[in-house]
Amino acid sequence: METREKTVEIRNLVKKFGNFTAVNNISFDVYKGEIFGFLGANGAGKTTAIRILCGLSLPTSGEGTVAGFSINNQQEDIKKHIGYMSQRFSLYSDLKVWENIELFGGIYGLDDKQIALKTDSMLKALDLEDSRNMYVRDMPLGWKQKLAFSIAMVHDPQVVFLDEPTGGVDPVTRRNFWEMIYEAASRGVTVFVTTHYMDEAEYCDRVSVMVDGVVEALGAPAELKKLYSAANMDEVFTKIAGRAERE
Amino acid sequence: MDGQTAIKVEGICKSFKETKALQDINLEIKHGEIFGLIGPDGAGKTSLFRILTTLSLADSGKASVNGLDVVDGYAGIRRSIGYMPGHFALYQDLSVEENLNFYATVFGTTVAENYDTIKDIYSQIEMFKDRKARDLSGGMKQKLALCCALVHKPDVLFLDEPTTGVDAVSRKEFWAMLGRIKDSGVTIMVSTPYMDEASLCDRIALILAGKIIDKGTPADIISRYPHRLFAIRGGNMFRILKELKVHEGIIRCSSFGCECHVAVTDNGPDASSLLDILEKSGMQGCRVEAIQAGIEDCFIGLS
């Protein structure tokens, strides 16, 4: 029997838009401190599923919990208890480093004292103490990413959703970012991550592969490679997602 | 030099306020080749594309496309090139067919006249020809944008990050399409942040922070990789990285999917001493083998 604590629990999730079924009856669990890779071809239904998990959209049917709150009727609680970061949007570039921390801390309901403490500890951990007054637009990409990731966790969420966090990022910065992901997971944060880099799929504890609205495969990278007789996750993905009917 | 020059870039510089977007860029792209400009966001790829497609002026330096200068010959260049910008230049409220007709008309031609040029790609989306562009999936939008860039039969095709945000399977399909376009005689200059696409180009330039850090065929660049390189499989990746990073004679170790690549100095450890180091730190059962560098190893080494 599985005794590990579940951070995400999804059962028979369906989302329809008119007569199009974007998400077709998916079920899975994600455990505390796990790095869960959520893979799939474009149009497979990943974004639709993530929007439901983040409390931004209601399922047509099915149920589940994220960070202990229901995706059906506790959406506002979910939003307060998760972190979110994407490559496209994360920080305000025309605000300074400390202003971004204050803004997001405020949005997540931290009081002034908590924000001050958090700002100090975060800047120290990131080695950015001398850069608190820097505008985010003037920061190198690697710093911005570290800061965005930390700010996504400013309210100590149980789970953080990373939507293509490394898209377009240089090879060195991309690897440094994954070391941060590992560190967060080792502290017990659940990391739910999407990526198009198949080498990054190897770094996840488990991955799911969505095809045409369905979770077609789910398991540890080593298991999936064995199951599909593949040398690496790129081959696994090609074998599974190559069968997609829709784009 | 064999082959004729399709694109020539000589000493191009471009700054935006204090940001040096392009610093002394020199490139020569031959007719009929696929030339890849490979680098991350913010490296200067789009700035260079905009200068070559005559949409932006360089601060200094010269460039020509098909023998026409990008400043004096801009009108001629615009007629003879196709350009697919990074963000889809499709009219969202027009249908697939209307978008294509629009681009054909702008270039004074018709879809029927050049149907052969786009047939291979258009046939894959033709069944959706009445659908509005905004209702297409990412993959279909990409195919339509490529058709729109090809519909006037250009000599040179500029594709700015056509595969960014595209899944691994669709990326492979897209590159297969590019191969067929190249076979029809079109010169292709393509930019990408994906290092694994380098091997699909005839020649490449690696670009970082506004500078070309190396250029040549992928094989040339790989042959210039200066260090001995080993791949380690098995064991916990992040423990291996932590252990080896601090070790003498090891220049760098980087995760590569299920392998860890370790760059070693000339008199640094060999495969068996690497295995020793790992075993002494309690990591049994790893395998170590000498490998040839890939483009991503080269890029990391030059960063």
Side-chain angles (χ1 to χ4, degrees), chain A residues 40-56:
Chain A
N42 298 113
K46 291 192 308 281
T47 304
T48 305
I50 290 174
R51 286 179 55 81
I52 296 170
L53 297 184
C54 292
L56 298 170

Side-chain angles (χ1 to χ4, degrees), chain B residues 210-231:
Chain B
K211 290 181 189 155
I212 302 289
I213 54 176
D214 204 354
K215 59 188 171 185
T217 65
D220 283 342
I221 291 174
I222 285 167
S223 72
R224 285 194 283 271
Y225 186 75
H227 310 300
R228 291 188 299 145
L229 194 66
F230 296 94

